[in-house]
Amino acid sequence: EVQLVQSGAEVKKPGESLKISCKTSGYRFTSYWIGWVRQMSGKGLEWMGIIYPGDSDTRYSPSFQGQVTISADESISSAYLQWSSLKASDTAMYYCARQRGDSHIEYWGQGTLVTVSS
Amino acid sequence: DIVMTQSPDSLAVPLGERATLNCKSSQSVLYSSNNKNYLAWYQQKAGQPPKLLIYWASIRDSGVPDRFSGSGSGTDFTLTISSLQAEDVAVYYCQQYYSSPDTFGPGTKLEIK
């Protein structure tokens, strides 16, 4: 069974750094893309970027390029989304998702709520 | 970026009736070399992550009830629920994966009348 299990909710202050995780199981980690999707409270879905763990090829939406870093660790079948300096506007639910190349999202994680507040 | 629009913003339909949700892309998402429309539909119930319903514009994902169907090509697409059930209350999003960045529509909120 394919599973994507995300790390727990985070409460941070502006300017702090953060790395959230997405641990996968039930499939060959290096054979599928893992993407990240943001959903601000009461709003729609925003595709942030994607990584192919097989060769670490990473692509970002221009809206998020330079704002976040996507990475993966093949040894533990996990993907990551990180910020070096959080802003209040980063407050949102973040989903990881398994995506076929040039194709749809097949599986979603349960989401990680990130709250940034002074 | 390809801009996705959805209509209506919200929709209230009686139980057992048909619901029709629309999605439009700012440019064609039909790839001529394989004749596939690079469009998916997702359902998001309150407090849950989205769930894949339809991909390649008209292919139902495994386990999705057959009352859900997708149609359309090029720039105009439709998700139809043939007989609305109480458990179908949700927000429905379309997504194009024709060109990066993938983009989602703003969603249609579906309720029971």
Side-chain angles (χ1 to χ4, degrees):
Chain A
E1 179 193 8
V2 174
Q3 289 193 313
L4 287 75
V5 179
Q6 297 185 230
S7 50
E10 302 274 1
V11 179
K12 291 289 191 179
K13 291 181 168 36
E16 291 186 333
S17 62
L18 176 64
K19 190 174 187 177
I20 61 175
S21 66
C22 172
K23 181 160 178 59
T24 72
S25 60
Y27 72 97
R28 190 184 192 100
F29 181 65
T30 51
S31 297
Y32 293 85
W33 294 78
I34 291 284
W36 290 91
V37 175
R38 182 175 80 174
Q39 187 168 40
M40 303 177 82
S41 181
K43 303 298 185 184
L45 305 170
E46 300 173 272
W47 189 89
M48 302 175 70
I50 200 165
I51 186 166
Y52 188 72
D55 61 7
S56 296
D57 184 10
T58 308
R59 304 170 188 178
Y60 294 92
S61 165
S63 298
F64 293 93
Q65 178 85 46
Q67 308 305 308
V68 297
T69 301
I70 295 171
S71 60
D73 184 340
E74 178 184 342
S75 68
I76 54 172
S77 301
S78 293
Y80 303 93
L81 178 66
Q82 70 181 87
W83 296 259
S84 59
S85 181
L86 286 160
K87 309 180 192 67
S89 57
D90 293 318
T91 295
M93 181 72 80
Y94 293 88
Y95 295 102
C96 66
R98 192 185 92 168
Q99 187 166 357
R100 291 179 176 270
D102 293 332
S103 189
H104 54 280
I105 292 172
E106 301 172 292
Y107 297 95
W108 297 74
Q110 84 278 18
T112 296
L113 180 62
V114 173
T115 303
V116 184
S117 174
S118 54
Chain B
D1 299 3
I2 296 178
V3 176
M4 307 298 291
T5 56
Q6 291 184 242
S7 62
D9 294 336
S10 62
L11 181 62
V13 174
L15 284 172
E17 296 296 303
R18 177 185 300 261
T20 301
L21 290 67
N22 302 299
C23 172
K24 190 175 182 69
S25 56
S26 62
Q27 64 186 75
S28 177
V29 298
L30 173 63
Y31 193 36
S32 55
S33 66
N34 59 13
N35 202 37
K36 285 185 173 181
N37 286 283
Y38 283 53
L39 184 113
W41 289 94
Y42 302 90
Q43 175 194 63
Q44 187 176 32
K45 297 182 179 180
Q48 296 184 19
K51 173 192 170 187
L52 175 66
L53 293 177
I54 302 283
Y55 57 96
W56 301 126
S58 62
I59 308 296
R60 254 191 318 275
D61 193 33
S62 174
V64 173
D66 61 7
R67 63 179 180 274
F68 291 91
S69 63
S71 62
S73 185
T75 61
D76 292 280
F77 300 90
T78 300
L79 175 70
T80 301
I81 307 172
S82 60
S83 176
L84 190 69
Q85 305 300 303
E87 61 265 32
D88 300 335
V89 168
V91 179
Y92 292 83
Y93 295 95
C94 60
Q95 178 212 22
Q96 68 78 23
Y97 43 91
Y98 179 86
S99 72
S100 186
D102 295 6
T103 46
F104 293 91
T108 291
K109 185 176 183 179
L110 180 60
E111 299 171 315
I112 306 295
K113 182 185 279 187

